[in-house]
Amino acid sequence: MMELNVYDTAEDLAGSAAARIAELVDGAEDRFSLGLAGGSTPRATYVALRDLSIDWSGVDIWLSDERWVPPDHERSNGRMAAETLTDHIAARFHRPPYGGSMMADESAPAYEATLESVFAGRPPDLVLLGMGEDAHTASLFPGSPALEERGRIYVANTIPETGEQRLTATYPLLWSARRLIVLTAGESKAPALRDAFDGVPNPIGQIDEGDAEVEWHVDRAAASLLS
Ligand code: 6PG
């Protein structure tokens, strides 16, 4: 199932997406796993979320992708998540290991083991995703090796254009989730969003090929090219 929610502004998007996430977290029987998107779009949603009255005690938070930078680096998704949300709530926050001579392709299997323990054989409950102008999601970039991964749930990946190292959830993980919520705002994302909804093969368009329910939460600018 694919559901599209369009909001007049990015602020409306942030507030409504936070309320939707809170509803899902609060509706959980006991444990709840929440994968956070990186980048800049989700910041406002995370700030709105931390101010809502939610029982975070049974929630495990993880990262749908991470840049291969030190944990306190300004480009770190984990740092962004901590500053906007996880430092302010009682949920457990699991970040990929980083340090010393560790390479990204050593951190990925270690984090994969952490996630297997967090999921404990259950589907991930909710994974938040963003979308790049090139229609990438998480760190599943067009033309990158991780797009083809079907055996592992989390891997190191390389951005073809720049050689930048990333860590990312793979399609098997995203497809196994109960629900995916995509947060997208801004006119620059309109062509990729149109392509995704028109069935043009691209990384974000493939997220609905599994069992997960997919909800899009976008602003009017990002939706401006949808027919
Ligand atoms: C990252 C991401 C990535 C992000 C998109 C959109 O590490 O960059 O997780 O998938 O969601 O690039 O980024 P913006 O929200 O900054 O446009």
Side-chain angles (χ1 to χ4, degrees):
M1 183 276 286
M2 172 107 89
E3 176 190 305
L4 174 65
N5 303 277
V6 182
Y7 305 95
D8 285 338
T9 66
E11 292 72 28
D12 294 344
L13 160 56
S16 298
R20 176 61 176 144
I21 295 162
E23 178 187 26
L24 292 164
V25 172
D26 269 345
E29 296 287 309
D30 50 6
R31 307 289 298 264
F32 190 92
S33 65
L34 171 60
L36 295 183
S40 56
T41 302
R43 295 182 72 99
T45 296
Y46 298 164
V47 170
L49 195 54
R50 81 176 182 218
D51 294 337
L52 298 180
S53 163
I54 298 169
D55 175 7
W56 291 102
S57 59
V59 180
D60 288 283
I61 292 178
W62 54 281
L63 294 168
S64 53
D65 75 322
E66 181 57 290
R67 292 89 182 267
W68 190 241
V69 294
D72 59 353
H73 193 281
E74 63 178 6
R75 298 195 66 246
S76 164
N77 287 334
R79 174 180 161 179
M80 182 274 288
E83 286 176 344
T84 54
L85 180 61
T86 62
D87 280 354
H88 306 271
I89 61 176
R92 284 170 298 285
F93 183 30
H94 309 274
R95 296 179 66 172
Y98 184 97
S101 60
M102 182 181 281
M103 309 290 284
D105 58 11
E106 296 168 304
S107 177
Y111 196 48
E112 201 170 27
T114 299
L115 294 180
E116 300 278 16
S117 166
V118 163
F119 301 148
R122 300 168 21 160
D125 291 293
L126 175 60
V127 187
L128 306 182
L129 295 168
M131 182 190 73
E133 294 176 22
D134 61 357
H136 79 261
T137 190
S139 282
L140 297 167
F141 286 83
S144 69
L147 290 173
E148 309 309 324
E149 177 60 48
R150 294 296 180 267
R152 296 182 51 196
I153 64 168
Y154 217 90
V155 295
N157 198 23
T158 304
I159 304 179
E161 288 75 20
T162 63
E164 181 188 350
Q165 281 271 288
R166 296 286 186 101
L167 298 176
T168 186
T170 61
Y171 284 120
L173 195 168
L174 300 182
W175 291 338
S176 72
R178 293 185 196 283
R179 187 172 300 274
L180 306 175
I181 286 184
V182 185
L183 304 172
T184 300
E187 197 167 353
S188 70
K189 305 294 177 71
L193 196 63
R194 175 205 51 215
D195 289 352
F197 276 69
D198 286 352
V200 172
N202 61 34
I204 190 77
Q206 284 186 258
I207 64 173
D208 69 346
E209 292 177 7
D211 300 329
E213 303 282 347
V214 180
E215 292 182 20
W216 290 78
H217 292 256
V218 308
D219 71 354
R220 198 160 299 288
S224 57
L225 296 180
L226 293 184
S227 51

